[in-house]
Amino acid sequence: MIWSLIKVLLFVGAIAGLSYGASVLMDTGGGIQIALLGMEFTLGPLQAAIALLVLLAALWLLLKLVGLMVAVLRFLNGDETAISRYFDRNRERKGYQALSDGLMALASGEGRVALARAAKADKLLDRPELTTLLIAQASEMTGDTKRASEAYKLLLDDNKTRFVGVRGLMRQKIAEGDTVTALKLAEKAFALKPKHEETQETLLNLQTGQGDWKGARVTLGAKLKAGALPRDVFRRRDAVLALQEASGVLDEDATIEAREAAIEANRLSPDLIPAAAMAARSYIAKGDSRNATKVLKKAWSVLPHPDLAAAFAEIAPDESSAARLKRFAVLTKQNPDNMETRLLLAELNLTAEDFPAARRALGDLATSHPNARTLAIMAAVERGEGADDAVIRGWLARALTAPRGPQWCCDKCQAIHTAWVPVCDNCGGFDTLSWREPADATGPSATGTELLPLIIGKPEQPVIDVTDVTDEPEDAEVVQDEKAEK
């Protein structure tokens, strides 16, 4: 309403200005005298202004006629589209202007404006590879997925735009959660452009998400050839995929190929803990304890881990505690200062009921690095050495609220997993799990479980022997009487 009023006022102002200018020119004396071919023309100021405007219009018309004549001459010389191009030139200019405005609106996040400009450009231009793509992207921005899908499907008809159409449909299916269809579209896009880095990554994520490990290894190889992946990262991830191919290695009907795949995965990446454990179990299943020990020993030297110790125990499951302690020296002599090595040695000594040795192996871990495992081992040591129940309960109470220690944590989303998996269940990241202590963002418990040691008892200092007390004989006698009563 206001804009309409402003336009009316501007129009009235323009008419008033022209009228005022014409009256001023009519009142002005003098004029212009033109002599041509023996004739003289005298023009007043207003007539001169009108003549100038007419001359400019005639010049513009002359240029248009010259352009038309040139187009006709080109047509006569064999250029069949010369005349049509001449008449379509203005139409094309407007079309490209609308296309440019649409692209700017799309980049600015104005989806509806971009869609309107794209529709106008589509009417004026015969360039569907440009206008249809703009319509598809503008429709996606406005939430009109149906129209966007129709636009992407139109792009499939042309070889030049087929990849763009397949990629657009693939992204739509991923957004909808239809990963099965998205995987098929990703495979088509990969076939059209095998070196396209984004398509390689998308296809790899879809394949790993659906358990197509064999296909994922092919895609991973393509990424290496395209230079999109360092060789060391490739070897690590290829080992992960090989490991998943051999996931049924311990099944009763596991084939020789599956067992060899587990060994191959360990060869590709010796520091991959699940691969080392699975390869060792593969050797154990074949009765080859020598190679199983070799694999686990090498992996333990890189990173001590409970899964490696569990696989090492399976080599001789029926051995005695003393024999097991002796055999495990192959592992415990490597990385002796590592916390996992010390905990393993403490647990082995607990099993052998050598509690002083278990305490020595544990050292100060229960106080310097308290977690559920170290505190539980300390409670077992105290119990084995005959400590009071209050002391044992104190250690166990601390273990209830202590951190769990190293776990499989996703480096991408920090999610914690109870077991190693190639794809994070939370964020879908591939090969993002590492064995470490999770970031501790917790504070005091809302339930007050930190007070449990005060309620049920806490670790106590050893009782001072009465022979060391000389200044207070009466207290010493009391202590001796209490011992006699016990």
Side-chain angles (χ1 to χ4, degrees):
M1 185 68 180
I2 297 177
W3 176 239
S4 300
L5 179 61
I6 293 174
K7 289 192 290 185
V8 170
L9 293 176
L10 290 175
F11 177 74
V12 173
I15 295 299
L18 290 174
S19 300
Y20 176 76
S23 63
V24 170
L25 288 175
M26 290 180 68
D27 295 339
T28 303
I32 298 177
Q33 222 173 27
I34 301 175
L36 181 64
L37 297 176
M39 294 182 291
E40 291 186 358
F41 301 93
T42 302
L43 302 177
L46 179 60
Q47 293 172 332
I50 296 173
L52 180 61
L53 293 175
V54 172
L55 181 62
L56 291 175
L59 181 61
W60 176 82
L61 182 61
L62 179 62
L63 292 175
K64 290 292 183 180
L65 291 174
V66 170
L68 177 60
M69 292 178 63
V70 171
V72 171
L73 291 175
R74 288 180 177 177
F75 176 77
L76 295 175
N77 286 333
D79 190 350
E80 298 179 354
T81 61
I83 296 179
S84 62
R85 287 203 313 273
Y86 173 79
F87 287 107
D88 291 342
R89 190 172 300 163
N90 188 45
R91 179 186 181 92
E92 189 178 60
R93 182 183 61 79
K94 292 180 180 179
Y96 279 116
Q97 183 62 45
L99 183 64
S100 176
D101 294 342
L103 291 173
M104 292 300 295
L106 187 67
S108 302
E110 300 174 292
R112 296 187 181 280
V113 177
L115 190 59
R117 297 294 184 273
K120 182 178 179 181
D122 189 47
K123 292 179 180 179
L124 296 174
L125 295 176
D126 187 21
R127 299 293 301 275
E129 68 276 11
L130 298 177
T131 55
T132 305
L133 178 59
L134 182 58
I135 290 172
Q137 294 182 342
S139 299
E140 281 186 331
M141 184 173 289
T142 57
D144 190 353
T145 56
K146 183 177 180 182
R147 186 173 182 181
S149 298
E150 293 174 353
Y152 281 128
K153 289 177 182 178
L154 291 175
L155 295 174
L156 300 177
D157 297 332
D158 191 348
N159 291 332
K160 296 179 181 178
T161 60
R162 183 171 291 120
F163 174 77
V164 177
V166 172
R167 178 176 174 271
L169 292 173
M170 175 190 69
R171 293 177 62 183
Q172 278 193 322
K173 294 301 180 183
I174 292 175
E176 295 171 3
D178 187 0
T179 55
V180 176
T181 307
L183 177 58
K184 295 179 181 178
L185 291 169
E187 290 172 348
K188 290 183 180 179
F190 180 73
L192 291 171
K193 284 192 175 182
K195 295 184 179 180
H196 192 264
E197 188 172 348
E198 182 191 7
T199 302
Q200 292 173 349
E201 190 66 25
T202 303
L203 177 58
L204 182 63
N205 290 334
L206 290 170
Q207 288 171 328
T208 54
Q210 297 188 29
D212 183 9
W213 311 116
K214 186 176 182 180
R217 294 189 74 178
V218 174
T219 306
L220 196 70
K223 291 191 69 173
L224 178 67
K225 291 180 181 179
L229 200 66
R231 183 166 291 277
D232 57 338
V233 178
F234 165 77
R235 290 178 64 87
R236 159 79 183 192
R237 294 188 176 180
D238 191 39
V240 172
L241 296 174
L243 175 64
Q244 290 309 112
E245 278 193 278
S247 58
V249 69
L250 295 181
D251 296 343
E252 294 181 359
D253 57 347
T255 61
I256 296 177
E257 289 78 9
R259 299 185 189 279
E260 294 299 327
I263 298 171
E264 173 67 9
N266 175 251
R267 186 190 66 80
L268 292 172
S269 184
D271 62 335
L272 183 59
I273 301 302
M278 187 173 288
R281 290 187 172 97
S282 175
Y283 283 123
I284 293 171
K286 296 190 295 183
D288 190 353
S289 59
R290 179 175 173 275
N291 277 322
T293 302
K294 182 179 179 181
V295 167
L296 294 172
K297 181 180 177 182
K298 185 175 183 180
W300 190 274
S301 65
V302 177
L303 177 64
H305 192 276
D307 290 349
L308 300 177
F312 194 74
E314 294 176 14
I315 296 176
D318 300 326
E319 63 187 343
S320 64
S321 300
R324 174 160 293 185
L325 179 61
K326 183 177 180 181
R327 186 171 65 87
F328 263 80
V330 175
L331 299 184
T332 55
K333 287 181 180 179
Q334 298 186 94
N335 289 323
D337 297 329
N338 185 276
M339 186 177 71
E340 182 59 39
T341 304
R342 293 169 65 183
L343 291 175
L344 173 62
L345 189 57
E347 291 172 342
L348 291 171
N349 281 290
L350 281 176
T351 306
E353 299 184 357
D354 188 352
F355 303 110
R359 184 186 289 274
R360 288 193 300 272
L362 186 63
D364 63 344
L365 288 179
T367 54
S368 65
H369 206 110
N371 58 44
R373 190 177 174 193
T374 58
L375 294 171
I377 292 175
M378 191 64 192
V381 170
E382 294 284 6
R383 184 179 181 87
E385 292 184 340
D388 292 340
D389 289 344
V391 176
I392 299 170
R393 286 197 302 269
W395 287 112
L396 293 177
R398 291 182 61 190
L400 287 175
T401 57
R404 294 182 59 186
Q407 299 175 74
W408 289 113
C409 303
C410 178
D411 296 330
K412 187 176 180 181
C413 68
Q414 308 304 319
I416 300 174
H417 297 70
T418 56
W420 182 88
V421 288
V423 180
C424 176
D425 298 332
N426 185 54
C427 66
F430 173 66
D431 190 27
T432 57
L433 267 63
S434 60
W435 181 256
R436 58 181 173 83
E437 293 196 22
D440 187 9
T442 59
S445 171
T447 59
T449 51
E450 289 80 5
L451 300 177
L452 279 175
L454 300 178
I455 298 172
I456 64 174
K458 62 180 181 179
E460 300 176 355
Q461 297 295 329
V463 179
I464 300 176
D465 189 52
V466 294
T467 57
D468 296 333
V469 180
T470 56
D471 297 335
E472 299 180 1
E474 295 181 359
D475 292 341
E477 291 176 1
V478 172
V479 173
Q480 290 176 350
D481 291 339
E482 290 179 354
K483 285 188 173 183
E485 291 176 2
K486 292 182 179 179

